[in-house]
Amino acid sequence: MPQHESWEREYRNPQLLTKDKTPRADVVRFSRWLKKEQKISLDDATVLDLGSGIGRNAEYFAEQGAKVTGFELSQTALEIAKKCLAETDSRITYARQNIGEKYPLTNQSIDVCIDVMSSNSLNEKERTVYFAELGRVLKSGAHMLVRTLCKDGDVNAKNLLKISPGPEKDTYTMKELGLTERVWSREDFTADYSRIFTILSLEKTTHYVQLNGRSYKRNYWVAHMKKN
């Protein structure tokens, strides 16, 4: 099943996702870090939300005065997000967009970018475009948050890589969802993102996810970065 069909089915009948509108805790911490540690004002800042879902994080940045562009693959998720726009005065523009294809944005137009559990679903061809587009549309000195799947010390990830390997390096296929995901070692994450960014912090966190009534312990990377 193609990835976009998997996400569409997931938003229509969630097994892994939540339709909670509360912004991600990692996004809230990133925003506070920008203002306190990096002295970045979000008022009128341009923010790109890669994989914006139903708009929980986009709305959070818009409430702080930012102008937000949200890219999302699922039409169902976009419809939910846009319905909220119709009900409120917002500074958000949503577009149906694969984040592994060329972005409809001008060069060096983005101040802040967030990628929360989105690029780990890209294949290597798409990921090459993803990095090229980040290099093109982010301003010099722009800040980025990435939250993605961590391979290091994750028993469930290593089990999935063994029993359900995907077609590319460090990928597995979740048969219940028809979704292929990439997990990252610290070494590989650093090597890839350091081509474009200075990694200011890279933290490994642990959370539990629910799938088909079972709870799984998973590790994640949370990176705060600044474009070179």
Side-chain angles (χ1 to χ4, degrees), residues 71-107:
F71 289 161
E72 173 55 46
L73 197 57
S74 165
Q75 185 62 38
T76 297
L78 283 174
E79 289 171 0
I80 296 171
K82 289 179 179 179
K83 183 179 179 181
C84 294
L85 282 184
E87 298 171 352
T88 60
D89 181 17
S90 181
R91 300 163 63 87
I92 309 172
T93 301
Y94 290 115
R96 191 172 185 208
Q97 172 72 32
N98 182 341
I99 66 169
E101 297 178 355
K102 190 173 176 63
Y103 302 164
L105 297 171
T106 58
N107 294 351

Side-chain angles (χ1 to χ4, degrees), residues 36 46 57 61-62 172 178 194:
K36 183 177 180 180
T46 51
N57 298 318
F61 277 106
Y172 56 78
S194 292

Side-chain angles (χ1 to χ4, degrees), residues 46 108-111 134 136-142 227-228:
T46 51
Q108 298 191 45
S109 58
I110 300 298
D111 296 304
L134 289 179
R136 182 181 69 83
V137 305
L138 268 61
K139 296 177 182 179
S140 177
K227 185 170 177 281
N228 296 329

Side-chain angles (χ1 to χ4, degrees), residues 2 16 23 37 42 49 67 127-128 130 144 154 186 218:
L16 189 62
E37 302 296 333
L42 291 174
D49 184 356
K67 299 175 182 177
R127 189 169 288 109
T128 297
Y130 161 88
M144 184 165 184
D154 191 310
R186 179 182 290 271
R218 298 303 307 268

Side-chain angles (χ1 to χ4, degrees), residues 6-217:
S6 298
W7 283 117
E8 189 62 39
R9 188 174 67 175
E10 176 65 12
Y11 274 104
R12 290 179 180 177
N13 183 27
Q15 299 182 64
L16 189 62
L17 296 170
T18 174
K19 291 188 177 180
D20 183 6
K21 294 290 283 185
T22 306
R24 285 269 194 179
D26 290 322
V27 171
V28 174
R29 284 192 290 268
F30 176 63
S31 171
R32 292 172 178 169
W33 173 82
L34 286 175
K35 290 181 281 189
K36 183 177 180 180
E37 302 296 333
Q38 300 297 303
K39 310 302 180 185
I40 301 296
S41 172
L42 291 174
D43 191 31
D44 284 331
T46 51
V47 175
L48 177 60
D49 184 356
L50 299 177
S52 51
I54 61 173
R56 59 194 294 195
N57 298 318
E59 290 175 16
Y60 174 74
F61 277 106
E63 288 169 358
Q64 298 177 76
K67 299 175 182 177
V68 186
T69 298
F71 289 161
E72 173 55 46
L73 197 57
S74 165
Q75 185 62 38
T76 297
L78 283 174
E79 289 171 0
I80 296 171
K82 289 179 179 179
K83 183 179 179 181
C84 294
L85 282 184
E87 298 171 352
T88 60
D89 181 17
S90 181
R91 300 163 63 87
I92 309 172
T93 301
Y94 290 115
R96 191 172 185 208
Q97 172 72 32
N98 182 341
I99 66 169
E101 297 178 355
K102 190 173 176 63
Y103 302 164
L105 297 171
T106 58
N107 294 351
Q108 298 191 45
S109 58
I110 300 298
D111 296 304
V112 175
C113 181
I114 63 171
D115 168 6
V116 180
M117 301 301 296
S118 295
S119 60
N120 46 263
S121 294
L122 299 176
N123 60 40
E124 288 304 317
K125 182 179 179 181
E126 291 171 326
R127 189 169 288 109
T128 297
V129 177
Y130 161 88
F131 279 118
E133 288 298 273
L134 289 179
R136 182 181 69 83
V137 305
L138 268 61
K139 296 177 182 179
S140 177
H143 290 78
M144 184 165 184
L145 165 70
V146 172
R147 184 179 192 267
T148 194
L149 293 165
C150 171
K151 178 182 178 182
D152 299 354
D154 191 310
V155 174
N156 279 305
K158 292 182 178 179
N159 186 49
L160 285 165
L161 290 170
K162 181 179 180 180
I163 66 174
S164 189
E168 298 176 335
K169 177 182 177 180
D170 284 342
T171 63
Y172 56 78
T173 300
M174 298 178 69
K175 295 180 179 179
E176 303 94 328
L177 305 178
L179 186 66
T180 298
E181 295 184 319
R182 166 79 190 267
V183 291
W184 299 84
S185 67
R186 179 182 290 271
E187 180 182 9
D188 285 343
F189 184 96
T190 301
D192 280 345
Y193 281 91
S194 292
R195 293 178 294 171
I196 302 174
F197 298 96
T198 298
I199 300 175
L200 301 176
S201 68
L202 182 58
E203 177 187 4
K204 183 169 72 172
T205 64
T206 300
H207 297 280
Y208 287 86
V209 297
Q210 297 288 328
L211 181 62
N212 294 332
R214 295 186 61 186
S215 182
Y216 297 88
K217 184 178 180 182

